[in-house]
Amino acid sequence: ENFDAACQFTLPDYTSGASATDNCSAPGAITFTQSPTAGTVITGNTVITITAEDEVGNTDTCTFNVTVNDTTNPATPVLADVTGQCTGTAAAPTTTDNCDGVITGTTTDATTYTAQGTHVITWTFTDANGNSITADQNVIIDDTIDPVTPALADVTGECTATAIAPTTTDNCAGTITGTTTDALTYTAQGTHVITWTFNDGNGNVITVNQNVIIDDITDPVAPTLTDITGECTGTAVVPTTTDACAGTVTGTTSDATTYSTQGTHVITWTFNDGNGNVITVNQNVIIQDVTDPVVTCPSDVTENFDAACQFTLPDYTSGA
């Protein structure tokens, strides 16, 4: 016999199929009883005893076995997908069985997955009576979260600046280093933009811009210009100075550089580094004659007195 849906079997009345002979009593005069009686719920293997009794109370018994088999499979469960961004672990699922109640599935597959994609676990559900079913469950690892957008500080410099590859974090990949096809080092004045790409390897990609600002705000070094001196004339040589970015800077002026007039003359030199930083420095040109003239006198002169016995000096400067 097989179990019913409630995993039980109710004994029918087997006496209707029993027969007996008796030396005195007619067949219809023999009564039959059954133990266990009809209506008894049994499981497994049960010995049924049939007793025949004739009209005068003589009895005889016979026995036979009633074996109840469980032929109903456990219920096939509908297993929900297990999902995760970076990892997913399936818990052993359960189902119900008509005889065993709750049955927990078993598998030889891995239950934890980290690789992106869909993984299939085959669960087996076996009741205590050998009835078995299998059910598949999907473990879907799908990273849909972008890396964290970092706030990239400006890289600054007066003459040059070099950006270092920045990093950010990702829910699955951890630390991610940015990549770019742009230059990292800049020397030209102004603002330059580097576009960094952050790829978590699972198809989630963001880009973030970073400014590299080159801004020379330092004036050229103010040189100490010595005075140019001369007695009759003086000419200034174009001076130079140094600058943090431009190197050597040559002065320029709209003033004359050669002077012959006695006195102090001022030349204003301008030093421009080409990046908007300009200084002016004054230089004196001093013309001062401090040398006495050199006098050459005429040769000795011998003259005779005139009639008055005297001599009047002529102007000898014309011969000096």
Side-chain angles (χ1 to χ4, degrees):
E1 301 290 350
N2 295 324
F3 284 124
D4 61 14
C7 199
Q8 61 186 12
F9 178 73
T10 302
L11 286 176
D13 182 4
Y14 290 115
T15 60
S16 60
S19 63
T21 60
D22 184 74
N23 61 333
C24 294
S25 300
I30 298 175
T31 59
F32 298 94
T33 58
Q34 171 184 314
S35 177
T37 60
T40 302
V41 175
I42 65 171
T43 60
N45 184 60
T46 302
V47 177
I48 306 298
T49 301
I50 300 296
T51 301
E53 184 177 356
D54 64 13
E55 292 176 310
V56 295
N58 299 307
T59 63
D60 189 23
T61 61
C62 68
T63 61
F64 62 96
N65 295 322
V66 175
T67 301
V68 181
N69 293 320
D70 178 11
T71 60
T72 303
N73 288 329
T76 300
V78 177
L79 302 182
D81 293 342
V82 176
T83 60
Q85 292 278 329
C86 312
T87 184
T89 298
T94 60
T95 189
T96 57
D97 182 72
N98 62 324
C99 293
D100 294 339
V102 176
I103 298 176
T104 300
T106 61
T107 186
T108 58
D109 298 325
T111 55
T112 297
Y113 295 88
T114 57
Q116 295 288 301
T118 299
H119 312 273
V120 178
I121 301 174
T122 299
W123 295 99
T124 299
F125 301 87
T126 303
D127 66 13
N129 297 314
N131 301 299
S132 182
I133 61 165
T134 60
D136 288 340
Q137 183 176 36
N138 295 322
V139 179
I140 302 172
I141 309 302
D142 184 17
D143 180 9
T144 61
I145 298 176
D146 287 336
V148 175
T149 299
L152 302 182
D154 293 342
V155 178
T156 60
E158 292 205 32
C159 309
T160 183
T162 299
I164 298 173
T167 61
T168 189
T169 57
D170 181 74
N171 62 319
C172 293
T175 299
I176 299 175
T177 300
T179 61
T180 186
T181 57
D182 298 325
L184 301 182
T185 298
Y186 296 87
T187 57
Q189 295 288 303
T191 298
H192 312 272
V193 178
I194 300 175
T195 299
W196 295 100
T197 298
F198 299 89
N199 188 332
D200 67 3
N202 294 329
N204 303 299
V205 181
I206 62 170
T207 59
V208 181
N209 289 336
Q210 183 176 37
N211 295 322
V212 179
I213 302 172
I214 309 300
D215 184 16
D216 180 7
I217 59 173
T218 301
D219 288 335
V221 176
T224 300
L225 302 181
T226 59
D227 292 344
I228 305 296
T229 59
E231 293 200 35
C232 306
T233 184
T235 299
V237 176
V238 177
T240 61
T241 189
T242 58
D243 181 74
C245 295
T248 299
V249 178
T250 301
T252 60
T253 186
S254 60
D255 299 326
T257 56
T258 299
Y259 295 87
S260 58
T261 302
Q262 293 290 303
T264 298
H265 311 274
V266 179
I267 301 174
T268 299
W269 294 101
T270 299
F271 299 89
N272 188 334
D273 68 2
N275 295 327
N277 304 298
V278 181
I279 63 170
T280 58
V281 180
N282 290 335
Q283 185 177 35
N284 294 322
V285 180
I286 303 171
I287 309 301
Q288 184 180 11
D289 182 3
V290 296
T291 301
D292 293 334
V294 177
V295 178
T296 302
C297 291
S299 299
D300 291 344
V301 177
T302 302
E303 299 286 353
N304 294 323
F305 287 120
D306 62 9
C309 198
Q310 59 183 11
F311 179 74
T312 301
L313 287 175
D315 182 2
Y316 288 116
T317 61
S318 62

